[in-house]
Amino acid sequence: AQTVTQSQPEMSVQEAETVTLSCTYDTSENNYYLFWYKQPPSRQMILVIRQEAYKQQNATENRFSVNFQKAAKSFSLKISDSQLGDTAMYFCAFMKPSANKLVFGAGTILRVKS
Amino acid sequence: GAVVSQHPSWVICKSGTSVKIECRSLDFQATTMFWYRQFPKKSLMLMATSNEGSKATYEQGVEKDKFLINHASLTLSTLTVTSAHPEDSSFYICSAQKLADRDQPQHFGDGTRLSIL
């Protein structure tokens, strides 16, 4: 079974600074998908970024980028120029192709301070 | 596109009553919908996978008779918490996956806060 580990329960960052959230996973699959979801205080789950394991290039969405290290099974999220609106709980998630199910990590609470 | 609506957003009811939560995909057809439970500051726990026209598949440890799931159409799935008790109080979130789009992200509803007195 796949597992996803987020080792940082809480983190803080100053506004405009850069922060990296870590995520590791365990799988025997060669092809799969990885996601970062954001859950702000409103509690709506918002997809931040998606990475396909067969793509070597790291995914990027504006201020959000990932460092995908397939051999190390690591999938960290970097948030540049942090904004107050980035304050949220962030979940790393794994999905096997055509398996539907998302396996979530425990989450990291990120607080952006002004 | 890909909007999922969940209703109600918050419900308070007495112990022993049954509560129905609806999950609708507003602008797409969803073959598969998922129901999650989340405790404060915790991760999402998958309860069951709901496929249109067939019985839901429940995760280990989730009581089928307690949490009834119906997926009667390609745009609607319902979760009914039967004979609810205070320990059922939680945040329930649904998500939906587009028809023939199995490798794409799930789209989440806004969640339902259930409080049982």
Side-chain angles (χ1 to χ4, degrees):
Chain A
Q2 286 76 27
T3 58
V4 178
T5 302
Q6 292 179 250
S7 58
Q8 304 151 315
E10 296 188 26
M11 293 190 72
S12 295
V13 64
Q14 207 63 31
E15 198 174 7
E17 297 292 308
T18 295
V19 65
T20 299
L21 309 183
S22 65
C23 172
T24 58
Y25 57 94
D26 186 26
T27 184
S28 58
E29 303 289 330
N30 187 50
N31 194 22
Y32 46 87
Y33 299 93
L34 295 164
F35 305 91
W36 278 98
Y37 280 91
K38 168 185 176 181
Q39 189 180 40
S42 65
R43 304 196 75 173
Q44 183 183 16
M45 292 289 285
I46 301 166
L47 177 65
V48 175
I49 204 164
R50 174 177 182 262
Q51 175 80 42
E52 293 148 353
Y54 59 85
K55 289 188 177 179
Q56 292 185 341
Q57 187 172 6
N58 289 326
T60 299
E61 285 289 339
N62 301 314
R63 297 183 294 108
F64 299 88
S65 61
V66 297
N67 183 2
F68 173 47
Q69 301 288 330
K70 191 173 183 180
K73 296 180 183 174
S74 171
F75 183 60
S76 62
L77 174 70
K78 185 172 83 171
I79 305 174
S80 305
D81 185 24
S82 297
Q83 300 175 0
L84 295 177
D86 295 333
T87 292
M89 192 156 187
Y90 287 81
F91 293 99
C92 178
F94 172 100
M95 187 178 80
K96 285 196 302 184
S98 301
N100 290 18
K101 293 182 184 180
L102 282 169
V103 177
F104 286 96
T108 297
I109 296 173
L110 175 67
R111 293 186 176 87
V112 180
K113 299 179 178 179
S114 58
Chain B
V3 178
V4 176
S5 172
Q6 197 170 332
H7 178 80
S9 57
W10 196 358
V11 58
I12 303 172
C13 60
K14 293 182 179 179
S15 185
T17 60
S18 293
V19 180
K20 181 185 282 188
I21 302 170
E22 292 187 347
C23 180
R24 293 181 183 272
S25 55
L26 297 186
D27 53 0
F28 66 98
Q29 292 184 320
T31 324
T32 306
M33 290 185 173
F34 304 86
W35 287 96
Y36 297 87
R37 183 173 181 176
Q38 187 182 28
F39 292 104
K41 296 187 179 182
K42 297 295 183 182
S43 190
L44 280 71
M45 181 189 78
L46 180 65
M47 299 175 65
T49 302
S50 166
N51 292 296
E52 185 266 337
S54 62
K55 290 183 178 180
T57 302
Y58 289 82
E59 295 298 303
Q60 192 172 6
V62 178
E63 298 177 59
K64 300 178 184 181
D65 296 331
K66 177 73 170 176
F67 300 100
L68 299 178
I69 292 171
N70 183 274
H71 193 159
S73 76
L74 284 172
T75 60
L76 174 64
S77 177
T78 60
L79 167 67
T80 301
V81 183
T82 62
S83 186
H85 292 285
E87 58 266 27
D88 299 323
S89 298
S90 192
F91 191 67
Y92 293 87
I93 309 176
C94 74
S95 70
Q97 197 161 40
K98 289 183 179 179
L99 188 66
D101 214 8
R102 289 166 64 89
D103 290 344
Q104 294 303 310
Q106 296 174 18
H107 305 281
F108 286 84
D110 289 347
T112 296
R113 187 185 306 276
L114 175 62
S115 297
I116 309 298
L117 305 177

